[in-house]
Amino acid sequence: MSATSDAVLKNRLAAETSPYLKQHADNPVAWQPWDDEAITAARDSGKPILLSIGYSACHWCHVMAHESFADEATAAVMNDHFVNIKVDREERPDLDKVYQLAHQLLTQQTGGWPLTAFLDPDTLLPFFAGTYFPKTPRHQLPGFTDLLLRISETFQNKRDELSSQGEKVSEVLQSLNAPRQPEDGEPPGEPGMAHIQAAHEMLAAQYDPSEGGFGTAPKFPMPGTLTRELRHWALNPALEDRRETLDRVLTSLTRMARGGIYDHLGGGFFRYATDRKWMIPHFEKMLYDNGQLLSLYSEALSVGPDPLFQAALSETADWLIRDMQDPAGGFYSALDADSEGQEGLFYLWRRDQVKKLTNETEYLILETLYGLDKPANFEGKWNLHRFDAWRSVVERLSMDPADAAAALASGRQKLLAARSERVAPGLDNKVLTSWNGLVISGLAKAGTLNGRDDWIAAASRCVDFIRESLWDGERLLATWAEGKARYAGYLDDYANLLVGLTELLSANWRQQDADFALTLAAAALDHFEDKDQGGFFFTAHDHEDLIYRPKPTLDDAQPPGNGVMAEALIRLGHLFGETRFLDAAAATLNWAEQQIRRYPAGHCTLLSALELDLVG
């Protein structure tokens, strides 16, 4: 060991710009950012790395921080036995993707946040992983301190066995990027309409006919999936279940816009519902959800007018511009789930509070519409949730529609004003290029549909900000906070921004945006394309070496970069007559064909790009 091994590490997070990392700067844990200095310290000391990945709006990240990371005794064990590295998954999605997948391989379970992984310092391969661990044993989980001591002992005494396990994980990871061979009896082929129809049939089987959406609980908005179904309906007039397909989309969007997953006072959607009926959300508001949902509700409104959809669209767009756009032009990342240490507290109401703030007519409308006359639905309080259509509420109360609408508007405004006096959830004010691309798309589509030049202007200001602050003339940067841009851009940064630019060009042609799009697309081909097999890596060719280099294809809460990039290149290729863009998109779709074939319903974004390629 070198002299570095005897050095006492200090918490280095105060110098970071990430709001999430700064939340841990005062912990007694000697947190390090992911960098060469931290990894070298681990290798010199011979200690394993404790890698903790989370994000600022994450409720269970806060719980683990309060229980364990702020505790002096727990921190002492962590510092004595490990080099502790804290990562913001939004700044470093490359690390998150790699170690979430490794967690899945080690545990055969889906991951989540906080992700807790223990790495061999020499290879950076994980030998144990989990998510949240309580301070003391509960929920069939071990206490964190006991776990730490057992892992440290195992690492010191059985390191060869752990290294062998890590090598097996590495072999599986590397095999994921190996050229795909057709399975026995599987004919080689190109992706086609059969895959699109297969996905449609799978999604029909997964649909919840009672409450909308897919699956049971927890229930996510899944905008990419709903967009796929809506486009399948629009482009297939002879579809046998055409009416049912449209109903699936519209019912899902209706349940979401009525549900507690939507903020009925301030606008914007929360990350997901914890229940099947969309009533109780996990109270984070994420930029990427709301950008995608703006696009989806805009497309749904192109089918026909709907006051509920229109209100959700308008209120969400206005909330984004009012509360989430930095004066410089970029959009912030997220609002926390917690305020004053309690999840959802900012958004909840007691019945007597609402009565005191409103007059008799306003209260009657609010009570009937939002279920205040029903049992409290969240820890003795009410999270607002529409139980019925507005028209039915007005008819049931025998009110004049105009009077009812005025009373609802004034009542909601009083509640919103009162809510603004509360302690607000924490704001993650970093700007992420990839998520901003999704909002640019949403605002451009919504602004065009609604004739709202101010929404289009907000999208244009965002593009100008990215070009000025997150583009160095050759490469994109991924994040911006406190006036500083950091981290080389990932595939999603280029892909989402490119689609955003194509939507904005449709709404308002600016030559500087067209030039920017062409330059970005060329840079993406240079730095991310797999010239041998087709498709795009998540990290650039000159990115730091990690234990695995992902090429994402599956839909998640955010669309996969390969699907978005294929769509962007098809659009740009036809718009500007650039055959190299069309060739790269075709190579991506051909490379992804076997993944799509294995699980069509999980590749809706790629299938939308494929449909665009096939039918225009």
Side-chain angles (χ1 to χ4, degrees):
M1 297 183 189
S2 71
T4 309
S5 64
D6 298 324
V8 177
L9 297 178
K10 303 293 185 183
N11 188 315
R12 292 199 286 129
L13 300 188
E16 296 296 305
T17 56
S18 159
Y20 174 65
L21 298 186
K22 283 183 174 296
Q23 287 173 2
H24 295 81
D26 295 326
N27 289 166
V29 179
W31 289 119
Q32 309 293 297
W34 180 282
D35 61 11
D36 290 342
E37 182 178 339
I39 293 169
T40 299
R43 289 170 176 167
D44 288 347
S45 70
K47 296 177 181 179
I49 292 171
L50 192 166
L51 175 64
S52 177
I53 302 179
Y55 60 103
S56 70
C58 168
H59 172 70
W60 287 105
C61 299
H62 298 327
V63 173
M64 194 166 179
H66 295 320
E67 289 178 347
S68 295
F69 303 151
D71 179 68
E72 294 281 354
T74 305
V77 174
M78 294 173 67
N79 295 337
D80 286 346
H81 296 279
F82 301 91
V83 170
N84 304 288
I85 296 180
K86 177 62 79 171
V87 167
D88 182 341
R89 65 113 175 179
E90 296 166 359
E91 282 190 336
R92 294 300 304 266
D94 54 333
L95 293 171
D96 187 54
K97 286 180 184 295
V98 165
Y99 288 105
Q100 291 284 355
L101 181 55
H103 168 277
Q104 186 175 345
L105 293 173
L106 286 168
T107 66
Q108 299 301 302
Q109 296 178 352
T110 56
W113 301 278
L115 180 70
T116 307
F118 296 87
L119 317 183
D120 184 304
D122 293 330
T123 64
L124 303 182
L125 288 165
F127 56 86
F128 185 85
T131 52
Y132 162 78
F133 291 102
K135 182 179 178 183
T136 56
R138 67 175 186 272
H139 307 312
Q140 297 182 320
L141 292 170
F144 191 50
T145 301
D146 292 341
L147 177 70
L148 294 173
L149 292 172
R150 292 206 305 270
I151 287 176
S152 176
E153 181 182 4
T154 303
F155 181 78
Q156 298 304 326
N157 297 328
K158 299 182 179 180
R159 188 167 180 179
D160 289 344
E161 294 178 27
L162 296 180
S163 296
S164 176
Q165 178 176 283
E167 289 171 4
K168 292 177 182 177
V169 170
S170 179
E171 289 172 5
V172 174
L173 290 173
Q174 301 317 313
S175 72
L176 297 176
N177 281 344
R180 301 283 185 180
Q181 300 298 325
E183 296 177 358
D184 291 343
E186 178 186 10
E190 296 182 355
M193 296 302 294
H195 295 343
I196 295 173
Q197 181 62 26
H200 172 67
E201 292 169 3
M202 283 185 177
L203 293 173
Q206 296 170 8
Y207 176 69
D208 180 352
S210 173
E211 301 297 335
F214 300 89
T216 55
K219 193 168 276 185
F220 289 80
M222 298 177 68
T225 302
L226 289 169
T227 298
R228 170 88 298 279
E229 282 288 84
L230 184 60
R231 292 180 182 178
H232 194 64
W233 167 84
L235 293 170
N236 292 276
L239 192 65
E240 286 186 11
D241 63 341
R242 191 164 188 261
R243 180 171 181 175
E244 291 83 356
T245 301
L246 182 60
D247 285 345
R248 283 194 285 272
V249 176
L250 299 184
T251 297
S252 299
L253 294 181
T254 298
R255 294 288 193 273
M256 287 158 51
R258 286 185 188 173
I261 195 175
Y262 180 68
D263 180 357
H264 292 276
L265 299 181
F269 289 85
F270 301 110
R271 192 160 76 93
Y272 65 86
T274 60
D275 63 298
R276 182 182 177 188
K277 295 179 179 290
W278 305 98
M279 184 182 293
I280 305 301
H282 192 37
F283 286 90
E284 305 161 343
K285 279 188 185 178
M286 310 302 293
L287 187 69
Y288 61 78
D289 285 321
N290 286 281
Q292 292 178 88
L293 288 168
L294 276 184
S295 293
L296 175 55
Y297 275 94
S298 295
E299 292 196 16
L301 280 165
S302 68
V303 176
D306 184 297
L308 179 69
F309 294 2
Q310 184 62 57
L313 178 79
S314 298
E315 291 164 7
T316 298
D318 288 340
W319 163 70
L320 284 167
I321 296 169
R322 180 185 68 241
D323 294 347
M324 300 297 286
Q325 190 167 26
D326 188 271
F331 288 87
Y332 304 135
S333 297
L335 286 175
D336 206 328
D338 299 4
S339 55
E340 300 183 74
Q342 296 183 48
E343 184 179 8
L345 182 63
F346 182 74
Y347 302 99
L348 302 175
W349 295 93
R350 293 194 306 271
R351 186 184 287 151
D352 63 327
Q353 288 177 312
V354 180
K355 281 186 175 179
K356 288 179 181 178
L357 289 167
T358 57
N359 63 38
E360 185 176 346
T361 302
E362 292 165 346
Y363 178 77
L364 181 62
I365 287 284
L366 294 169
E367 176 190 63
T368 308
L369 181 63
Y370 294 122
L372 299 176
D373 54 348
K374 295 177 172 60
N377 58 11
F378 189 82
E379 299 179 357
K381 297 180 181 179
W382 279 262
N383 179 54
L384 301 183
H385 171 97
R386 289 193 179 199
F387 285 84
D388 206 346
W390 170 244
R391 181 177 177 180
S392 298
V393 169
V394 174
E395 290 176 352
R396 188 158 66 250
L397 295 176
S398 301
M399 293 186 67
D400 175 76
D403 292 341
L408 175 64
S410 59
R412 289 176 62 208
Q413 186 57 44
K414 289 176 181 178
L415 296 188
L416 182 61
R419 196 178 78 175
S420 69
E421 300 298 319
R422 299 175 178 177
V423 176
L427 171 68
D428 188 323
N429 65 354
K430 69 176 178 293
V431 175
L432 298 171
T433 302
S434 62
W435 297 9
N436 274 253
L438 297 172
V439 172
I440 291 164
S441 293
L443 286 173
K445 278 187 179 179
T448 301
L449 176 73
N450 290 270
R452 288 290 298 266
D453 291 342
D454 55 329
W455 295 350
I456 297 171
S460 296
R461 284 205 306 123
C462 184
V463 169
D464 292 342
F465 167 78
I466 291 172
R467 186 166 46 233
E468 292 164 7
S469 301
L470 287 152
W471 172 251
D472 66 6
E474 296 181 356
R475 307 282 284 270
L476 275 175
L477 294 171
T479 76
W480 179 91
E482 299 181 357
K484 300 176 184 176
R486 299 186 67 189
Y487 300 109
Y490 308 101
L491 175 62
D492 290 2
D493 297 303
Y494 288 79
N496 291 343
L497 182 55
L498 279 170
V499 169
L501 283 166
T502 62
E503 292 291 353
L504 188 56
L505 286 169
S506 297
N508 178 38
W509 183 276
R510 299 192 305 174
Q511 189 59 44
Q512 65 264 40
D513 293 342
D515 295 340
F516 191 26
L518 289 169
T519 304
L520 277 177
L525 293 179
D526 289 342
H527 300 301
F528 295 90
E529 188 182 15
D530 184 342
K531 307 288 186 183
D532 297 325
Q533 296 186 48
F536 292 82
F537 292 102
F538 185 73
T539 54
H541 299 318
D542 56 357
H543 194 79
E544 71 174 282
D545 289 335
L546 302 177
I547 62 171
Y548 169 59
R549 194 178 180 197
K551 288 178 70 178
T553 64
L554 280 167
D555 298 305
D556 203 341
Q558 300 170 57
N562 273 286
V564 180
M565 183 60 76
E567 180 173 338
L569 291 173
I570 292 167
R571 290 185 184 187
L572 290 168
H574 287 300
L575 182 62
F576 294 104
E578 286 282 359
T579 57
R580 60 177 175 153
F581 296 167
L582 298 174
D583 291 343
T588 299
L589 295 171
N590 287 332
W591 159 76
E593 190 273 338
Q594 290 189 49
Q595 291 96 314
I596 296 171
R597 180 195 296 264
R598 288 185 175 90
Y599 184 39
H603 291 88
C604 288
T605 305
L606 271 162
L607 290 176
S608 289
L610 171 61
E611 191 171 63
L612 180 65
D613 186 51
L614 293 174
V615 303

